[in-house]
Amino acid sequence: MEENTVQNLQEKIERYKQLLFDTGREGIDKVIIALEKLGFFKAPASAHRHLNYEGGLLVHSLNVYDMAMSLRGAVLQVRPEMEQKLSIESITIAALLHDVCKSDIYVQKEKFRKDANDRWEKYIGYDVDYSRFPVGHGEKSVIMLLQLGLKLKKDEVLAIRWHMSAWELAQQSADAKGNISAANNNFPLVSLIQSADQFATFMLETE
Protein backbone atom coordinates (compact mmCIF):
# COMPACT_ATOMS: atom_id res chain seq x y z
CA MET A 1 0.00 0.00 0.00
CA GLU A 2 1.09 3.58 -0.61
CA GLU A 3 2.16 5.59 2.43
CA ASN A 4 -0.87 7.91 2.41
CA THR A 5 -3.18 4.91 2.06
CA VAL A 6 -1.49 3.18 4.99
CA GLN A 7 -1.82 6.35 7.08
CA ASN A 8 -5.49 6.70 6.16
CA LEU A 9 -6.14 3.08 7.11
CA GLN A 10 -4.36 3.54 10.43
CA GLU A 11 -6.51 6.58 11.18
CA LYS A 12 -9.62 4.52 10.53
CA ILE A 13 -8.35 1.74 12.78
CA GLU A 14 -7.74 4.22 15.60
CA ARG A 15 -11.19 5.75 15.13
CA TYR A 16 -12.81 2.31 15.16
CA LYS A 17 -11.01 1.31 18.35
CA GLN A 18 -11.77 4.60 20.10
CA LEU A 19 -15.47 4.38 19.29
CA LEU A 20 -15.59 0.93 20.86
CA PHE A 21 -13.53 1.96 23.89
CA ASP A 22 -15.86 4.93 24.41
CA THR A 23 -18.77 2.56 25.04
CA GLY A 24 -17.07 1.49 28.25
CA ARG A 25 -18.41 -2.00 27.64
CA GLU A 26 -16.82 -4.72 29.75
CA GLY A 27 -14.69 -7.04 27.62
CA ILE A 28 -14.34 -4.68 24.65
CA ASP A 29 -10.54 -4.62 25.00
CA LYS A 30 -10.40 -8.40 24.53
CA VAL A 31 -12.59 -8.11 21.43
CA ILE A 32 -10.27 -5.55 19.84
CA ILE A 33 -7.19 -7.67 20.56
CA ALA A 34 -8.92 -10.71 19.06
CA LEU A 35 -9.96 -8.80 15.94
CA GLU A 36 -6.36 -7.73 15.39
CA LYS A 37 -5.18 -11.34 15.64
CA LEU A 38 -7.93 -12.57 13.31
CA GLY A 39 -7.04 -10.01 10.64
CA PHE A 40 -10.25 -7.96 10.85
CA PHE A 41 -8.48 -4.67 10.08
CA LYS A 42 -6.89 -6.01 6.89
CA ALA A 43 -9.83 -8.04 5.59
CA PRO A 44 -11.93 -6.94 2.59
CA ALA A 45 -15.67 -6.41 3.00
CA SER A 46 -16.39 -8.95 0.25
CA ALA A 47 -14.56 -11.16 -2.20
CA HIS A 48 -16.16 -9.89 -5.41
CA ARG A 49 -18.42 -6.92 -4.68
CA HIS A 50 -18.28 -3.95 -2.32
CA LEU A 51 -14.96 -2.82 -0.83
CA ASN A 52 -13.08 -5.94 -1.92
CA TYR A 53 -9.69 -4.59 -0.94
CA GLU A 54 -7.46 -4.63 2.16
CA GLY A 55 -9.18 -2.72 4.96
CA GLY A 56 -12.56 -2.86 3.23
CA LEU A 57 -14.26 -4.60 6.15
CA LEU A 58 -13.11 -1.83 8.49
CA VAL A 59 -14.35 0.85 6.08
CA HIS A 60 -17.71 -0.90 5.74
CA SER A 61 -18.12 -1.19 9.51
CA LEU A 62 -17.45 2.53 9.97
CA ASN A 63 -19.83 3.34 7.11
CA VAL A 64 -22.57 1.34 8.82
CA TYR A 65 -21.88 3.14 12.10
CA ASP A 66 -22.03 6.58 10.45
CA MET A 67 -25.20 5.70 8.58
CA ALA A 68 -26.81 4.26 11.72
CA MET A 69 -26.05 7.43 13.66
CA SER A 70 -27.51 9.57 10.87
CA LEU A 71 -30.65 7.42 10.79
CA ARG A 72 -30.92 7.65 14.57
CA GLY A 73 -30.92 11.44 14.35
CA ALA A 74 -33.63 11.38 11.69
CA VAL A 75 -35.80 8.96 13.68
CA LEU A 76 -35.52 10.97 16.90
CA GLN A 77 -36.67 14.13 15.17
CA VAL A 78 -39.97 12.39 14.54
CA ARG A 79 -40.05 9.96 17.49
CA PRO A 80 -38.00 11.47 20.35
CA GLU A 81 -39.41 8.87 22.74
CA MET A 82 -37.29 6.25 20.91
CA GLU A 83 -34.05 7.66 22.32
CA GLN A 84 -33.56 5.00 24.99
CA LYS A 85 -34.34 2.18 22.57
CA LEU A 86 -31.74 3.52 20.14
CA SER A 87 -28.87 4.23 22.51
CA ILE A 88 -25.57 5.42 21.07
CA GLU A 89 -23.77 2.68 22.98
CA SER A 90 -25.86 -0.11 21.46
CA ILE A 91 -25.68 1.37 17.97
CA THR A 92 -21.89 1.52 18.27
CA ILE A 93 -21.63 -2.09 19.42
CA ALA A 94 -24.04 -3.46 16.80
CA ALA A 95 -22.81 -1.40 13.87
CA LEU A 96 -19.07 -1.83 14.40
CA LEU A 97 -19.22 -5.51 15.32
CA HIS A 98 -21.99 -6.84 13.08
CA ASP A 99 -19.53 -8.33 10.55
CA VAL A 100 -16.79 -9.73 12.80
CA CYS A 101 -17.82 -13.09 11.33
CA LYS A 102 -15.86 -12.09 8.21
CA SER A 103 -12.58 -11.64 10.07
CA ASP A 104 -11.19 -15.06 9.16
CA ILE A 105 -12.93 -16.13 5.96
CA TYR A 106 -10.94 -14.35 3.25
CA VAL A 107 -7.87 -15.81 1.56
CA GLN A 108 -5.78 -14.03 -1.04
CA LYS A 109 -5.62 -15.66 -4.46
CA GLU A 110 -4.08 -14.87 -7.83
CA LYS A 111 -6.83 -14.05 -10.32
CA PHE A 112 -7.22 -12.72 -13.84
CA ARG A 113 -9.13 -9.74 -15.26
CA LYS A 114 -9.27 -7.59 -18.39
CA ASP A 115 -7.21 -4.39 -18.31
CA ALA A 116 -8.06 -1.07 -19.99
CA ASN A 117 -6.77 -2.46 -23.31
CA ASP A 118 -8.96 -5.57 -23.02
CA ARG A 119 -5.96 -7.75 -22.26
CA TRP A 120 -5.86 -10.34 -19.49
CA GLU A 121 -3.77 -9.42 -16.48
CA LYS A 122 -2.97 -11.08 -13.17
CA TYR A 123 -3.95 -9.51 -9.89
CA ILE A 124 -4.27 -10.53 -6.25
CA GLY A 125 -7.91 -10.93 -5.27
CA TYR A 126 -9.85 -12.81 -2.62
CA ASP A 127 -11.77 -16.03 -2.20
CA VAL A 128 -13.71 -17.19 0.85
CA ASP A 129 -13.09 -20.17 3.11
CA TYR A 130 -15.85 -20.89 5.61
CA SER A 131 -14.25 -24.04 7.01
CA ARG A 132 -12.83 -22.50 10.20
CA PHE A 133 -16.24 -21.97 11.82
CA PRO A 134 -19.13 -22.81 9.42
CA VAL A 135 -22.02 -21.69 11.58
CA GLY A 136 -23.60 -18.92 9.52
CA HIS A 137 -23.27 -15.16 9.21
CA GLY A 138 -24.94 -12.93 11.80
CA GLU A 139 -25.13 -15.77 14.28
CA LYS A 140 -21.40 -16.36 13.89
CA SER A 141 -20.69 -12.75 14.84
CA VAL A 142 -22.85 -13.08 17.96
CA ILE A 143 -21.22 -16.37 18.99
CA MET A 144 -17.71 -15.01 18.46
CA LEU A 145 -18.41 -11.95 20.58
CA LEU A 146 -19.99 -13.96 23.38
CA GLN A 147 -17.08 -16.43 23.33
CA LEU A 148 -14.73 -13.48 23.77
CA GLY A 149 -16.64 -12.48 26.90
CA LEU A 150 -18.41 -9.41 25.56
CA LYS A 151 -21.68 -8.76 27.35
CA LEU A 152 -24.37 -8.07 24.74
CA LYS A 153 -27.84 -6.71 25.38
CA LYS A 154 -30.79 -8.55 23.87
CA ASP A 155 -31.45 -5.98 21.16
CA GLU A 156 -27.74 -5.93 20.25
CA VAL A 157 -27.74 -9.71 19.83
CA LEU A 158 -30.78 -9.50 17.58
CA ALA A 159 -29.48 -6.54 15.58
CA ILE A 160 -26.20 -8.33 14.85
CA ARG A 161 -27.91 -11.66 14.16
CA TRP A 162 -30.44 -10.19 11.72
CA HIS A 163 -28.40 -7.36 10.18
CA MET A 164 -28.73 -9.00 6.76
CA SER A 165 -32.51 -8.55 7.00
CA ALA A 166 -34.37 -11.09 4.86
CA TRP A 167 -31.45 -11.83 2.49
CA GLU A 168 -30.78 -15.11 4.29
CA LEU A 169 -34.39 -16.28 4.53
CA ALA A 170 -35.03 -17.85 1.13
CA GLN A 171 -33.90 -21.30 2.26
CA GLN A 172 -34.74 -21.01 5.92
CA SER A 173 -37.63 -22.31 7.97
CA ALA A 174 -40.90 -20.71 8.96
CA ASP A 175 -39.41 -20.37 12.44
CA ALA A 176 -36.58 -18.21 11.08
CA LYS A 177 -39.06 -15.99 9.25
CA GLY A 178 -41.12 -15.67 12.40
CA ASN A 179 -38.04 -14.81 14.44
CA ILE A 180 -36.86 -12.01 12.17
CA SER A 181 -40.37 -10.58 12.03
CA ALA A 182 -40.64 -10.57 15.82
CA ALA A 183 -37.16 -9.06 16.16
CA ASN A 184 -38.07 -6.19 13.85
CA ASN A 185 -41.42 -5.62 15.52
CA ASN A 186 -40.11 -5.52 19.08
CA PHE A 187 -36.58 -4.12 18.88
CA PRO A 188 -36.06 -0.87 16.90
CA LEU A 189 -32.28 -1.33 16.92
CA VAL A 190 -32.71 -4.35 14.62
CA SER A 191 -34.36 -2.34 11.84
CA LEU A 192 -31.93 0.54 12.29
CA ILE A 193 -28.84 -1.66 11.81
CA GLN A 194 -30.46 -3.50 8.89
CA SER A 195 -31.18 -0.19 7.17
CA ALA A 196 -27.73 1.22 7.89
CA ASP A 197 -26.07 -1.91 6.48
CA GLN A 198 -28.17 -1.74 3.33
CA PHE A 199 -27.58 1.99 2.82
CA ALA A 200 -23.84 1.65 3.39
CA THR A 201 -23.49 -1.31 1.03
CA PHE A 202 -25.66 -0.12 -1.86
CA MET A 203 -25.38 3.66 -1.65
CA LEU A 204 -21.94 4.43 -0.20
CA GLU A 205 -19.87 1.49 -1.39
CA THR A 206 -20.98 0.80 -4.96
CA GLU A 207 -20.24 2.80 -8.07
Side-chain angles (χ1 to χ4, degrees):
M1 277 201 258
E2 297 180 0
E3 184 176 350
N4 61 342
T5 304
V6 172
Q7 180 179 355
N8 183 261
L9 180 59
Q10 189 58 42
E11 290 173 355
K12 292 182 184 301
I13 291 173
E14 294 306 317
R15 181 187 178 219
Y16 179 94
K17 291 179 179 180
Q18 192 59 55
L19 286 168
L20 286 177
F21 280 131
D22 286 347
T23 66
R25 185 65 62 88
E26 181 181 351
I28 201 66
D29 54 335
K30 293 181 180 179
V31 171
I32 291 173
I33 292 171
L35 293 182
E36 289 179 326
K37 291 180 178 178
L38 287 169
F40 175 90
F41 297 113
K42 292 185 177 181
S46 66
H48 309 290
R49 297 181 179 86
H50 68 126
L51 306 184
N52 57 340
Y53 54 77
E54 183 174 325
L57 184 56
L58 169 66
V59 173
H60 171 69
S61 300
L62 288 170
N63 284 343
V64 173
Y65 167 82
D66 289 334
M67 185 60 68
M69 291 300 292
S70 295
L71 290 172
R72 177 183 188 268
V75 169
L76 295 186
Q77 286 186 353
V78 182
R79 297 282 305 277
E81 72 277 11
M82 300 281 284
E83 185 171 6
Q84 289 188 340
K85 293 184 177 181
L86 297 174
S87 74
I88 293 175
E89 178 185 339
S90 289
I91 288 174
T92 303
I93 293 292
L96 294 182
L97 299 176
H98 74 283
D99 264 350
V100 297
C101 57
K102 293 183 176 183
S103 299
D104 62 353
I105 66 171
Y106 295 108
V107 291
Q108 288 190 329
K109 182 179 180 180
E110 187 177 88
K111 295 185 175 183
F112 292 88
R113 64 188 174 192
K114 291 288 187 72
D115 63 16
N117 298 314
D118 203 35
R119 297 173 182 169
W120 288 103
E121 64 174 1
K122 293 180 181 180
Y123 75 103
I124 301 299
Y126 293 92
D127 272 348
V128 292
D129 177 6
Y130 297 106
S131 64
R132 293 182 181 87
F133 191 20
V135 72
H137 189 76
E139 57 265 56
K140 179 183 174 183
S141 290
V142 171
I143 293 169
M144 288 174 64
L145 294 170
L146 293 176
Q147 286 181 328
L148 290 170
L150 186 66
K151 296 184 182 299
L152 295 173
K153 299 176 182 178
K154 184 182 292 185
D155 60 346
E156 295 164 0
V157 169
L158 294 170
I160 294 171
R161 166 62 185 94
W162 294 115
H163 73 266
M164 290 284 287
S165 188
W167 288 98
E168 294 181 298
L169 289 180
Q171 297 179 356
Q172 292 197 20
S173 66
D175 284 347
K177 295 176 181 178
N179 285 331
I180 191 174
S181 179
N184 278 307
N185 286 334
N186 294 296
F187 298 93
L189 182 66
V190 176
S191 294
L192 186 82
I193 297 300
Q194 287 173 356
S195 299
D197 190 35
Q198 295 293 306
F199 276 118
T201 300
F202 295 109
M203 295 187 181
L204 301 183
E205 299 167 4
T206 56
E207 297 180 357

